[in-house]
RNA sequence: GGGCGAUUAGCUCAGUGGUAGAGCAGCUCGUUUACACCGAGAAGGUCGGGGGUUCGAAUCCCUCAUCGCCCACCA
């Protein structure tokens, strides 16, 4: 073939190859097949942004496994979809509204919902195209969106089941509240931030208390000391008069083990409505919960002249007043950690409000076990295995101290709770349908935490498509980023085991965060991000995938520099030219058949067999980097540098010419199969050149070691 | 305050008991019809420090140091 170009034109060829794959139907599992089923659920990407290298990395891992399994002959499903990504999307949309000078609180609920819905659907299409550009061989005919009615129905059914089983309850308890975003957040959605505040030592009657939040003093209900603290022994049980910024207040002095004698003065003011620890103490001592800060971060009307002030202003004003009263004894700089909203980084305000909770530690009536214990049991028994093992330790230690999960969020974008309230305070929970007397009831306006539905993704998608649940559940592997181990992995196991009786996946392979060539985290502000789409056009999607997988051990952070991507592009070109050489050297009718004659033949077939064994074993063990490195070395060093050079003589020699041609084709044939899961495009392109008339490489058979 | 991980060639990282590896960068030479997005050759590491186990340790154990991550209600 004289028209065999010197290089693979990835930018032009890759999209065309992708179209061929789609047209072939090869991404869909053959349901008639009797083979063992293998499956991965594509973590539903948030439909609110563009593809980044993190997506590309996840695609590389999953697509490599999927393509490998498909070639091994398993009944293989990669189930794609999109999440509504509740708060994440709402947050993005809120910023968009802000730019337009609008505000979500002034838009009618149904209208706002529809706007976000359209926004989300539009982004979904974009994201999906980008996944396709990376070569994702997902079964798009099964694409599901989290808010499709049957998936929502599944979520409602689970909620009702958990409710009837005694695991879901509504309670007034302290929650993390974001003033900016006006919603509750779970423990996982707040992060620690170090900052230096002031610690105020205030005269509280006969004692001194230390506090960073003097503006909450209007909500104080007691002074707490340690029961064995000699300094305050005589005061416990008495009531003392405290000069506050608005008036003098009588507070009881109570004793509680929680108080640390070493800290501050050993005396603690108790503000139960605005501090989770104080709340616990107040519960133990039957104290009131006066609310003095509202949901917007302003002081309530119980705060005298400070009513209506914002927290920061109130603090300054209260301190000024207290100073004039002569009750500020000392002010110290106080470095400590505070909780902030993981999205907007603003200070979290603890609030005591009614929320719906899912108990993770209480045994259910039906199963006599808690959700936590169900998940822990699946890991302990080996039903679900973590790669790498150290994440298993993290999983267990988190589970040990896990707390109940607040399910309700005060946003519009999401699945609204199937909960109605009657005037008499009674509650109706359904599987989503309106109660008969709905007109007399008020529906809860909250929506579910997005993770509540995400964690049902395995059975909500599979369970609503023919026999998929039976065939593909439990799925084979899940490969999320390690930051999702608690958000998603652990909770998905709980709900999966609870509803299906089996853990949703056999293997959890956690991966790291993509870093730049210097090992730095990528971020827009640092300007070190790599746009996968632009890079795919320049170097090919194969090159990106290879760069992300090469040299990355499971659970560690991959690095992807332009140099590394270019290097992997060069590897693709090397493979391309191996094929070019072989194609130009052989006769048109040369068969793919290995007959070793020369020493070089014997050497290369031995290396080939050993490579097949290594790559196969490594892929079975989820050691993608080992498989890839072994292939890279074999292809470039053993085949290109050594064997091909030897064959230049062998092809000139009439006694070895024919067998050498067959050997070359055989080696190439095998290389293309082995490399296909990692670099699907270039291998498929060469396959159609070298093996014309054959079915697509996509659905070809994985090589096996033969005794030849 | 707990728990975990990392420390290997200039840079980024593989390698978990048996004679030190890759990619990128760099050096010397080479435009021979597979490939200059290349080839040949050379160079480069007492595998963080110290101690121990072993016939043998980058790999197992102890300890120290530095960096990083996760979890945690001390006002």
């Amino acid at each position: 073939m004289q028209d065999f170009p010197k290089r693979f034109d990835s930018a032009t060829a890759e999209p065309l190859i992708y179209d061929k794959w789609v047209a072939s139907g090869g991404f869909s599992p053959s349901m008639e097949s009797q083979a063992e089923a293998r499956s991965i659920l594509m973590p539903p990407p948030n439909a609110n942004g563009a593809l980044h290298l993190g997506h590309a990395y996840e695609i590389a891992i999953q697509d490599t496994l999927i393509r490998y399994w498909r070639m091994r002959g398993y009944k293989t499903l990669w189930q794609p979809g999109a999440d509504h990504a509740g708060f994440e999307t709402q947050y993005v949309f809120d910023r968009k509204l802000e730019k337009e000078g609008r505000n979500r609180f002034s838009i009618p609920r149904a209208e706002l919902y529809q706007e976000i819905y359209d926004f989300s659907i539009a982004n979904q299409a974009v994201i999906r195209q980008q996944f396709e550009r990376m070569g994702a061989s997902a079964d798009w005919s099964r694409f599901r969106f989290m808010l499709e009615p049957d998936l929502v129905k599944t979520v409602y059914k689970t909620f009702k089941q958990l409710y009837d089983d005694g695991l879901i309850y509504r309670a007034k308890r302290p929650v993390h509240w974001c003033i900016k975003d006006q919603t509750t957040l779970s423990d996982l959605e707040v992060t620690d931030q170090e900052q230096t505040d002031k610690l105020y030592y205030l005269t509280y009657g006969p004692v001194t208390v230390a506090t960073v939040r003097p503006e909450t003093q209007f909500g104080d209900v007691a002074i707490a000391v340690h029961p064995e603290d000699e300094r305050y022994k005589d005061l416990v049980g008495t009531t003392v008069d405290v000069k506050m910024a608005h008036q003098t207040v009588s507070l009881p002095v109570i004793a509680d083990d929680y108080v640390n004698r070493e800290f501050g003065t050993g005396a603690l003011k108790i503000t139960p409505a605005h501090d989770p620890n104080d709340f616990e103490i107040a519960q133990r001592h039957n104290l009131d919960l006066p609310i003095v800060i509202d949901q917007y971060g302003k002081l309530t009307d119980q705060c005298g002249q400070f009513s209506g002030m914002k927290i920061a202003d109130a603090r300054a004003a209260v301190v000024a007043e207290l100073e004039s009263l002569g009750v500020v004894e000392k002010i110290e700089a106080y470095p400590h950690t505070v909780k902030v909203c993981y999205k907007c980084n603003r200070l979290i305000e603890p609030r005591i409000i009614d929320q719906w909770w899912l108990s993770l530690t209480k045994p259910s009536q039906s199963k006599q076990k808690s959700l936590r214990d169900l998940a822990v049991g699946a890991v302990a028994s080996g039903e679900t295995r973590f790669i790498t093992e150290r994440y298993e330790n993290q999983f267990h230690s988190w589970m040990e101290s896990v707390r109940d999960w607040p399910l309700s969020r005060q946003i519009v974008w999401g699945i609204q709770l199937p909960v109605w309230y009657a005037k008499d305070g009674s509650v109706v929970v359904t599987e989503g349908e309106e109660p008969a007397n709905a007109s007399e009831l008020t529906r809860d306006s909250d929506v579910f935490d997005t993770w509540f539905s995400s964690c049902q993704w395995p059975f909500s998608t599979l369970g609503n498509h023919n026999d998929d649940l039976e065939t593909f559940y439990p799925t084979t592997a899940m490969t999320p980023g390690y930051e999702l181990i608690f958000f998603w992995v652990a909770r998905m196991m709980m709900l999966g085991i609870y509803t299906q009786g089996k853990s949703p996946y056999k293997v959890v392979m956690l991966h790291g965060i993509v870093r730049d060539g210097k090992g730095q985290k990528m971020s827009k502000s640092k300007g070190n991000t790599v746009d996968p789409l632009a890079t795919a056009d320049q170097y090919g999607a194969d090159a990106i995938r290879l760069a992300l997988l090469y040299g990355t051990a499971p659970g560690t952070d991959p690095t992807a520099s332009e140099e590394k991507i270019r290097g992997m592009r060069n590897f693709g070109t090397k493979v391309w030219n191996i094929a070019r050489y072989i194609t130009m050297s052989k006769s048109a009718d040369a068969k793919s058949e290995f007959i070793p004659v020369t020493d070089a033949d014997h050497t290369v077939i031995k290396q080939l067999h050993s490579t097949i064994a290594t790559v196969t074993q490594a892929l079975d063990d989820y050691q993608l980097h080992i498989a890839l490195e072994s292939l890279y070395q074999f292809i470039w060093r053993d085949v290109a540098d050594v064997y091909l050079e030897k064959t230049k003589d062998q092809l000139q020699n009439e006694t070895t010419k024919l067998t050498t041609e067959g050997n070359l084709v055989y080696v190439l044939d095998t290389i293309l199969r082995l490399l296909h899961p990692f670099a699907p495009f270039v291998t498929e392109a060469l396959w159609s050149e070298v093996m014309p008339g054959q079915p697509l490489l996509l659905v070809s058979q994985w090589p096996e070691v033969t005794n030849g």
Side-chain angles (χ1 to χ4, degrees):
Chain A
M1 284 190 193
Q2 60 271 62
D3 62 340
F4 206 125
K6 285 189 173 184
R7 284 171 205 155
F8 179 45
D9 178 8
S10 55
T12 309
E14 288 181 343
L16 297 176
I17 292 168
Y18 195 87
D19 291 344
K20 264 204 255 179
W21 287 331
V22 171
S24 78
F27 292 172
S28 299
S30 146
M31 295 307 282
E32 305 80 48
S33 158
Q34 296 301 305
E36 182 188 321
R38 294 270 171 116
S39 57
I40 295 180
L41 300 177
M42 181 184 286
N46 298 347
N48 57 26
L51 192 82
H52 53 69
L53 270 190
H55 294 119
Y57 181 43
E58 200 143 287
I59 293 167
I61 294 171
Q62 294 177 7
D63 197 45
T64 298
L65 292 170
I66 287 287
R67 285 176 188 270
Y68 165 65
W69 292 338
R70 191 181 288 126
M71 292 176 75
R72 283 292 298 273
Y74 297 117
K75 191 192 290 188
T76 304
L77 170 64
W78 192 8
Q79 169 71 50
D83 193 4
H84 70 291
F87 181 46
E88 294 271 341
T89 306
Q90 176 95 53
Y91 186 82
V92 170
F93 198 79
D94 283 357
R95 300 293 88 77
K96 180 173 175 287
L97 288 175
E98 255 173 29
K99 274 185 200 158
E100 296 166 2
R102 300 159 74 205
N103 180 313
R104 87 175 203 234
F105 302 106
S106 58
I107 303 174
R109 182 184 183 112
E111 209 173 291
L112 177 60
Y113 185 93
Q114 189 60 44
E115 272 203 51
I116 305 178
Y117 188 89
D118 295 341
F119 172 77
S120 195
I121 295 289
N123 281 328
Q124 234 177 66
V126 174
I127 280 275
R128 177 169 155 180
Q129 277 176 0
Q130 297 176 335
F131 269 60
E132 293 176 354
R133 183 65 190 87
M134 290 296 121
S137 66
D139 183 0
W140 299 109
S141 71
R142 281 173 163 85
F143 184 90
R144 302 310 303 270
F145 177 44
M146 191 67 80
L147 297 183
E148 289 169 27
D150 50 347
L151 301 202
V152 172
K153 176 78 181 170
T154 301
V155 172
Y156 282 149
K157 275 176 77 169
T158 304
F159 180 77
K160 179 75 159 54
Q161 189 186 346
L162 290 162
Y163 178 75
D164 291 341
D165 208 4
L167 293 185
I168 281 181
Y169 59 95
R170 187 171 189 242
K172 235 187 229 321
R173 290 182 29 189
V175 293
H176 305 297
W177 179 265
C178 177
I179 291 169
K180 165 85 177 170
D181 298 314
Q182 287 290 297
T183 185
T184 293
L185 299 169
S186 76
D187 292 336
L188 296 173
E189 289 159 322
V190 298
T191 53
D192 287 342
Q193 181 176 292
E194 294 208 1
Q195 65 182 45
T196 299
D197 284 313
K198 287 174 180 159
L199 185 62
Y200 302 90
Y201 288 78
L202 306 178
T203 305
Y204 262 42
V207 305
T208 303
V209 299
T211 180
V212 289
R213 301 200 61 185
E215 77 283 3
T216 63
Q217 70 169 191
F218 312 116
D220 288 357
V221 294
I223 297 166
V225 298
H226 194 275
E228 285 152 33
D229 195 329
E230 292 298 329
R231 291 172 291 182
Y232 305 117
K233 207 150 198 169
D234 295 341
L235 287 172
V236 174
T238 68
T239 298
V240 300
D241 285 340
V242 175
K243 248 192 245 178
M244 292 198 180
H246 62 328
Q247 63 188 58
T248 295
V249 175
S250 291
L251 294 180
V253 179
I254 60 173
D256 195 285
D257 285 337
Y258 169 79
V259 180
N260 180 348
R261 278 173 282 182
E262 315 299 321
F263 190 92
T265 59
L268 175 61
K269 76 183 194 68
I270 301 300
T271 323
H274 301 286
D275 183 292
N277 299 311
D278 292 6
F279 175 84
E280 296 296 329
I281 294 172
Q283 292 292 95
R284 288 197 282 273
H285 297 269
N286 266 319
L287 301 169
D288 288 342
L289 312 170
I291 291 169
V292 295
I293 294 170
D294 69 12
Q295 63 175 307
Y296 306 107
K298 289 182 177 168
L299 300 213
T300 63
D301 55 15
Q302 303 187 22
C303 306
Q305 68 269 39
F306 307 98
S307 296
M309 295 177 83
K310 286 189 177 172
I311 291 169
D313 302 336
R315 184 174 303 175
V318 166
V319 170
E321 181 61 26
L322 291 174
E323 278 182 323
S324 75
L325 291 172
V327 295
V328 179
E329 297 176 16
K330 186 165 62 161
I331 302 176
E332 282 177 353
Y334 180 55
H336 65 151
T337 59
V338 294
K339 303 231 176 264
V340 297
C341 170
Y342 83 115
K343 288 306 293 180
C344 72
N345 278 326
R346 285 183 174 77
L347 276 179
I348 287 297
E349 188 61 32
R351 290 184 73 204
I352 314 290
I353 50 174
D354 266 320
Q355 294 286 287
W356 286 90
W357 297 82
L358 176 58
S359 173
L360 305 183
T361 52
K362 177 182 159 193
S364 76
Q365 289 162 18
S366 68
K367 307 208 177 344
Q368 307 291 313
K369 274 193 172 180
S370 67
L371 293 176
R372 182 255 305 271
D373 291 347
L374 290 176
V376 166
V379 174
S381 74
E383 184 186 344
T384 292
R385 186 164 62 93
F386 279 79
I387 296 174
T388 59
E389 214 171 309
R390 66 189 158 105
Y391 290 112
E392 202 164 305
N393 302 331
Q394 235 182 61
F395 168 86
H396 278 119
S397 64
W398 184 70
M399 282 299 206
E400 265 169 34
S401 55
V402 74
R403 294 192 287 173
D404 288 357
W405 176 8
L407 293 181
S408 37
R409 296 289 180 278
Q410 290 66 49
I411 56 177
V412 162
W413 183 235
I415 300 172
Q416 193 173 356
L417 269 56
V419 172
W420 284 260
Y421 305 104
K423 289 204 177 75
D424 66 2
S426 62
V427 175
V428 182
V429 173
T430 75
E431 291 187 359
E433 70 279 3
E434 280 209 336
N437 58 337
S439 58
E440 298 160 26
L441 308 174
T442 310
R443 184 167 186 179
D444 196 311
S445 61
D446 287 356
V447 302
F448 286 120
D449 177 5
T450 194
W451 295 104
F452 185 66
S453 48
S454 304
C455 290
Q456 300 180 54
W457 188 241
F459 53 91
S460 67
T461 50
L462 298 175
N464 287 296
H465 189 273
N466 302 333
D467 300 330
D468 281 2
L469 187 65
E470 199 181 310
T471 308
F472 296 110
Y473 190 99
T475 64
T476 312
M478 181 60 68
T479 76
Y482 52 54
E483 73 279 8
L484 293 181
I485 182 168
F486 308 135
F487 271 110
W488 204 35
V489 174
R491 289 156 160 185
M492 190 161 28
M493 284 176 69
M494 296 182 203
L495 294 182
I497 300 169
Y498 178 79
T499 60
Q500 310 301 314
K502 283 181 191 161
S503 178
Y505 28 74
K506 292 169 189 153
V507 166
V508 181
M509 177 190 176
L510 293 149
H511 70 248
I513 301 165
V514 182
R515 295 170 181 273
D516 72 8
K518 292 182 187 136
Q520 303 284 309
K521 263 192 187 180
M522 289 192 175
S523 72
K524 281 179 191 161
S525 55
K526 277 188 204 151
N528 61 349
T529 54
V530 174
D531 172 18
L533 297 170
T535 310
D537 284 343
Q538 190 176 358
Y539 296 112
D542 284 338
I544 300 176
R545 296 168 53 129
L546 291 167
L548 289 165
L549 296 178
Y550 194 95
T552 307
T556 63
D557 295 338
T559 53
S561 57
E562 185 166 349
E563 290 75 26
K564 190 173 179 187
I565 294 168
R566 193 187 300 135
M568 290 301 143
R569 188 274 318 266
N570 294 351
F571 175 52
T573 305
K574 181 51 97 173
V575 175
W576 183 266
N577 280 287
I578 289 171
R580 183 167 185 262
Y581 164 76
I582 292 173
T583 305
M584 297 195 318
S585 309
K586 74 182 178 69
S587 348
D589 57 350
K591 295 259 183 320
S592 174
E593 183 181 30
F594 205 97
I595 300 171
V597 175
T598 66
D599 285 351
D601 293 341
H602 280 103
T603 301
V604 82
I605 193 66
K606 206 173 142 194
Q607 290 165 331
L608 177 66
H609 287 161
S610 139
T611 302
I612 293 173
T614 303
V615 171
T616 304
Q617 185 63 50
L619 284 171
D620 285 340
D621 294 341
Y622 297 88
Q623 304 292 314
L624 273 53
H625 65 302
I626 304 235
L628 183 53
E629 185 161 338
S630 153
L631 257 179
Y632 187 102
Q633 294 308 313
F634 172 69
I635 291 172
W636 204 314
R637 303 277 92 93
D638 299 339
V639 174
D641 291 349
V642 179
Y643 187 61
L644 255 48
E645 293 306 320
K646 301 274 190 185
T647 63
K648 287 176 182 173
D649 285 338
Q650 293 185 195
L651 288 167
Q652 299 307 312
N653 184 331
E654 281 308 314
T655 61
T656 52
K657 182 174 188 328
L658 277 181
T659 54
T660 299
E661 287 184 12
N663 293 350
L664 283 170
V665 176
Y666 183 86
V667 167
L668 176 60
D669 175 353
T670 310
I671 285 173
L672 293 179
R673 292 174 205 254
L674 289 173
L675 190 59
H676 182 257
F678 300 92
F681 290 110
V682 69
T683 50
E684 187 74 78
L686 290 171
W687 184 257
S688 62
E689 288 289 339
V690 180
M691 304 282 162
Q694 290 260 7
L696 292 172
L697 182 55
L698 172 77
V699 292
S700 68
Q701 278 196 329
W702 187 253
E704 282 178 27
V705 178
T706 51
N707 300 316

